Amino acid sequence: MRATQPSSVWLVIDSNTFGGIETHVLELADGLSQHNEPVAVIFLKDYGGDNQLEGKLKSRGVPSFFLNRIYPRLSILKAFRELLKAHSPTVVHAHGYKSSIITKLAKVSSSKNEWKQISTYHAGETPRGRVWLYDALDRYTSFISDHSLAVSNKIQTKLISRSKRLNNFINLGGLSAVQGSEIAFVGRMSHEKAPDRFMALAHEFPDVIFHCYGSGPMEDELKLTNSNGNVLFHGHQTNMEEVWKQIDVLIICSRYEGLPMAALEAMARGIVVIATDVGDLAKLIEHQSNGFIGSNMQELRHHLSHWLNLNVFDQNEIRRKAQLTIEKHYSQQAVIPQFLSLYHG
């Protein structure tokens, strides 16, 4: 790893897939770089195979490094402490419970605390098993951080120390409205994302084709419930730009959320979002103005039926307002200055 500038920001993550947290880190790294802030992404571990986030960072000119490539014989904590000794970041910004715990341990065990430790909390659900313990440890040590950030009000309430909510955001550069026709689910097929609810919704519209983009532990059982045969499963996607071009309606029927990046990506392209009222989605979506929000599946069914029967003029007005919402409140231009204020304030 080359020496980084004294004013550099490190974004720390433990990742072997590409989802909402990875998208957030990518957009944050890109936004900081565009604001001339020296930034690097530190991966705790290389899990082998193709790391999508690493490739996307490279394409945007953001350097990234893997701790176990630099210090293959050391534990993650020792490796991170060695990296701190060798370089001089002013900010270490962790994403995800593992990165947060490691960087906070490095903070309290360091004799020189010349850098800020910041943790962002992304997960709206309460995990189970061993992960529950790690998540609790992360939340109950939030007082160690110089700043604790959350992407929704509900996540804030789970932290024991003072925190700040900052909107998720995306880069609007090069994005334009799409003209798709599909009704789609985009995301991990797991309990918290509730793809089973999407299947139930599809069952209510047997003459309409629905599309699932993603994979996960529920995938096989969901395929068995496709009794109408009107749900097409496209599996894990590596090129979402092509996928977004096909979509007209994004269904978010999650049981738990913070503020899903998929909703921002969709609305920025003029795709209408029909979502359950979880996390901060009700702050993002103004019902029947820039999208639709519902408290249960019956309401989601009603909203989808309403959308399908709207005239083109009213549909286009909702699309336009969705794009305007992202531009004003959920874009890099709107949110990155708030991060810079925390980093250097």
Side-chain angles (χ1 to χ4, degrees):
M1 178 177 178
R2 295 173 299 172
T4 53
Q5 297 183 32
S7 61
S8 63
V9 173
W10 289 1
L11 306 180
V12 185
I13 186 172
D14 182 54
S15 170
N16 63 347
T17 59
F18 192 85
I21 295 180
E22 287 77 13
T23 303
H24 179 96
V25 169
L26 175 65
E27 296 294 350
L28 178 55
D30 183 55
L32 292 172
S33 183
Q34 291 192 32
H35 280 73
N36 299 314
E37 183 72 28
V39 59
V41 173
I42 310 298
F43 292 92
L44 295 186
K45 185 177 180 180
D46 180 4
Y47 290 93
D50 181 32
N51 187 298
Q52 288 188 55
L53 178 55
E54 179 190 24
K56 292 177 185 291
L57 289 166
K58 185 176 181 180
S59 70
R60 300 197 191 188
V62 177
S64 62
F65 307 93
F66 292 81
L67 279 181
N68 65 330
R69 290 181 187 174
I70 303 171
Y71 303 105
R73 297 184 178 180
L74 298 182
S75 68
I76 291 175
L77 178 57
K78 288 183 178 179
F80 189 73
R81 292 181 64 183
E82 288 299 315
L83 198 67
L84 287 169
K85 291 177 183 178
H87 305 278
S88 302
T90 55
V91 175
V92 173
H93 189 170
H95 298 266
Y97 70 84
K98 191 171 184 179
S99 299
S100 181
I101 292 170
I102 290 294
T103 56
K104 282 184 283 191
L105 284 172
K107 178 79 170 178
V108 298
S109 62
S110 175
S111 58
K112 296 174 66 177
N113 286 323
E114 298 175 351
W115 47 278
K116 287 183 177 180
Q117 193 284 333
I118 298 175
S119 289
T120 290
Y121 295 82
H122 297 266
E125 74 278 8
T126 300
R128 301 176 181 180
R130 182 187 300 177
V131 178
W132 177 89
L133 178 62
Y134 296 144
D135 177 71
L137 177 62
D138 185 22
R139 289 186 286 108
Y140 283 100
T141 57
S142 60
F143 66 92
I144 295 172
S145 300
D146 293 282
H147 296 288
S148 295
L149 309 180
V151 299
S152 76
N153 287 338
K154 183 177 180 180
I155 293 173
Q156 273 189 292
T157 64
K158 297 169 66 176
L159 303 177
I160 66 166
S161 60
R162 187 173 64 178
S163 62
K164 182 178 180 63
R165 187 180 71 83
L166 288 183
N167 287 338
N168 268 338
F169 59 93
I170 61 172
N171 180 8
L172 298 181
L175 292 187
S176 57
V178 297
Q179 297 292 326
S181 59
E182 297 178 355
I183 300 169
F185 169 95
V186 173
R188 179 171 166 77
M189 294 188 182
S190 55
H191 176 76
E192 68 276 7
K193 298 296 183 182
D196 52 306
R197 292 178 172 178
F198 182 77
M199 297 297 295
L201 186 65
H203 189 77
E204 297 287 333
F205 295 83
D207 297 326
V208 179
I209 301 298
F210 288 67
H211 299 259
C212 273
Y213 293 96
S215 60
M218 296 180 68
E219 185 172 359
D220 290 339
E221 66 178 91
L222 291 172
K223 289 179 179 178
L224 295 176
T225 66
N226 190 18
S227 57
N228 289 337
N230 64 328
V231 180
L232 302 182
F233 293 85
H234 301 279
H236 177 70
Q237 302 295 307
T238 58
N239 185 358
M240 280 304 300
E241 286 303 318
E242 291 303 313
V243 172
W244 290 125
K245 292 177 183 178
Q246 311 304 317
I247 298 175
D248 178 48
V249 179
L250 178 68
I251 305 293
I252 298 178
C253 40
S254 302
R255 293 181 171 91
Y256 311 101
E257 280 292 357
L259 182 61
M261 297 295 292
L264 307 186
E265 293 277 359
M267 290 173 65
R269 293 169 170 83
I271 296 169
V272 67
V273 175
I274 301 176
T276 47
D277 185 2
V278 293
D280 269 15
L281 278 165
K283 292 183 178 294
L284 170 68
I285 299 172
E286 184 180 349
H287 183 55
Q288 292 188 323
S289 175
N290 64 359
F292 299 87
I293 197 95
S295 3
N296 53 54
M297 290 307 298
Q298 183 178 355
E299 290 185 5
L300 290 196
R301 181 189 182 283
H302 170 76
H303 299 334
L304 178 57
S305 179
H306 176 70
W307 169 261
L308 292 174
N309 288 286
L310 269 183
N311 62 66
V312 173
F313 177 84
D314 288 339
Q315 286 187 340
N316 287 338
E317 185 65 10
I318 291 174
R319 292 188 179 103
R320 184 188 68 81
K321 289 180 179 178
Q323 289 181 288
L324 187 61
T325 296
I326 302 303
E327 180 183 340
K328 283 187 173 182
H329 304 292
Y330 299 90
S331 65
Q332 283 186 353
Q333 293 78 3
V335 181
I336 289 294
Q338 299 176 56
F339 280 99
L340 293 175
S341 178
L342 286 176
Y343 291 166
H344 303 302

